[in-house]
Structure formats: structure tokens, C-alpha cells
Amino acid sequence: LTATLRLVPLKIKKNILVHCEIFLRLVGLISTFLLVAPLGSSLILFLRAFDEIRGAESFNYISEKVKRSIAWLLLWQCGIKVLITGRNDQLFVDHEAILLSFSHASNLDGFLVTATCPIRQLALGKKELFLIPFFSWLSLAFGGVPVDRGNRDRASRALRRSVQSARSSRCSVCLAIAPEGTRSTTGQLLAFKKGVAHMWEELGR
């Protein structure tokens, strides 16, 4: 799966229209978060339970379709256009657990993964993200797993629990992790952490 988030710096004349657009996008994004976070997260969790009860296949989860729609909406409000290339849905069908690693260069990467992954995912992120009001509710509903990067034992347990949860799931589950362990501020790849390798071994790959 390759989903490219193309951010191109543009030299735009700073006139009143540009400032108005930025302001309106910001107001719209904040309003959406305030509305979607409590309602959307509750709806996703309710529909996920419903999907489990009715025994739906991974690609037919209603909760996942709602989740992807919310992610696409947030990206659209940010003015982001996403180009998806090389996705083979059969790979998500043939395996019970998929390890998806992505280079972490933007705060929008989580929404990008959610919008483009066709099945349920468990996405590992630093625990501090799950302390932010509204954002944390949506992150947990999206399948976020808090990781304590300051405590190796707790971090390892979080990785193992995620793998066990994916392997014990009735349907295919995608494990999403940034192998660098943090966001790159330069856009260049950073040194990989050992966590992604441990998850690969746990999955028996």
C-alpha cells in the first residue's frame, strides 16, 4: 500500500482572499472536530460492536466506512489531496494480520492511514496524543493504541497486546506503526526503532 501525501510549498501572494481561506479552513476544521469527535467516536464504537455481532467481513465493516469518511473529510478541510497507488486489496484478505509501516513526516499521517487502509487498523502512537481532548476520543475510536515511549517495558507490552489482539481477531486487522518512532521535522527518514522488527517477529513473518 502506497499512499502519498503531497505537500508542495507554494509562494502565494498574501492578499485578503488567502487569509480568508486559511481562516475559514481553520474554523471549519475546529468546528468539525468539536462536532465529530464526540458523536463520530461514539457512532464508530457502536457500529463496530454491531459489525462484530452480525459477523461482517473486514471489507464490509460499516464502522470502518464511517471512520474512513471522517478521515477523508478532515483531510479535505485541510486542503489535502491524496493520491493512492499500488494498493492490492487481496493482500488484506489473505492474511489475518497486516503490518503497515509508514514514514512519519506530518501530523496528518494518522488520518492519511485511516483514510486509505481498507480494513480495521490498530495504530500505535505516543501516549501524549491520547491526553488531548476531542482528538483523543477520535484517536481511540479510530483504533489508536497509546505507547509510553519513556518506559521500554510498557511500550513493549503495548506492542505485544496489539499483535495478540490482531491475531485473535475474527477478521483481518492492520497494525500501523511508524518505524522511526517519532515524526521527522525535515521530511527525511530517521533511524528505525526496534519496535517494528519485534512486531514482525511476533506475527511470525
Side-chain angles (χ1 to χ4, degrees), residues 177-197:
I177 182 174
E180 300 152 288
T182 188
R183 180 171 57 88
S184 171
T185 57
T186 63
Q188 302 298 316
L189 281 176
L190 303 177
F192 286 7
K193 303 296 184 182
K194 296 179 180 179
V196 67

Side-chain angles (χ1 to χ4, degrees), residues 19-205:
H19 288 296
C20 286
E21 181 183 357
I22 294 173
F23 175 75
L24 290 175
R25 285 189 183 278
L26 181 60
V27 171
L29 187 62
I30 294 174
S31 301
T32 300
F33 253 111
L34 294 178
L35 179 63
V36 169
L39 298 179
S41 56
S42 300
L43 178 61
I44 290 170
L45 294 176
F46 172 78
L47 290 175
R48 183 172 299 156
F50 175 70
D51 288 329
E52 292 290 341
I53 293 174
R54 71 189 183 95
E57 295 297 327
S58 299
F59 284 88
N60 296 321
Y61 266 38
I62 300 175
S63 56
E64 293 304 305
K65 294 178 181 178
V66 172
K67 187 171 72 174
R68 287 195 296 272
S69 297
I70 293 174
W72 277 109
L73 172 62
L74 294 172
L75 290 171
W76 174 76
Q77 286 192 309
C78 291
I80 302 299
K81 292 183 179 180
V82 181
L83 174 66
I84 303 175
T85 60
R87 191 176 80 180
N88 183 357
D89 289 347
Q90 190 60 40
L91 292 176
F92 294 92
V93 176
D94 294 340
H95 300 84
E96 61 180 10
I98 309 294
L99 183 60
L100 187 155
S101 61
F102 59 94
S103 57
H104 191 14
S106 168
N107 289 323
L108 296 173
D109 288 339
F111 297 115
L112 182 65
V113 171
T114 299
T116 55
C117 184
I119 61 174
R120 181 187 172 195
Q121 71 264 181
L122 298 175
L124 291 98
K126 61 180 181 180
K127 68 174 185 178
E128 290 79 7
L129 293 175
F130 297 87
L131 300 177
I132 304 174
F134 294 98
F135 180 83
S136 59
W137 306 343
L138 209 53
S139 297
L140 290 170
F142 276 12
V145 178
V147 177
D148 187 352
R149 297 185 301 179
N151 187 306
R152 177 176 294 182
D153 290 336
R154 290 180 182 175
S156 297
R157 285 199 296 270
L159 296 181
R160 285 196 297 270
R161 284 198 300 268
S162 299
V163 172
Q164 292 169 1
S165 177
R167 299 192 68 174
S168 62
S169 177
R170 183 184 58 80
C171 295
S172 300
V173 175
C174 179
L175 294 168
I177 182 174
E180 300 152 288
T182 188
R183 180 171 57 88
S184 171
T185 57
T186 63
Q188 302 298 316
L189 281 176
L190 303 177
F192 286 7
K193 303 296 184 182
K194 296 179 180 179
V196 67
H198 290 319
M199 293 181 72
W200 182 261
E201 291 178 350
E202 290 280 342
L203 287 172
R205 296 289 189 259

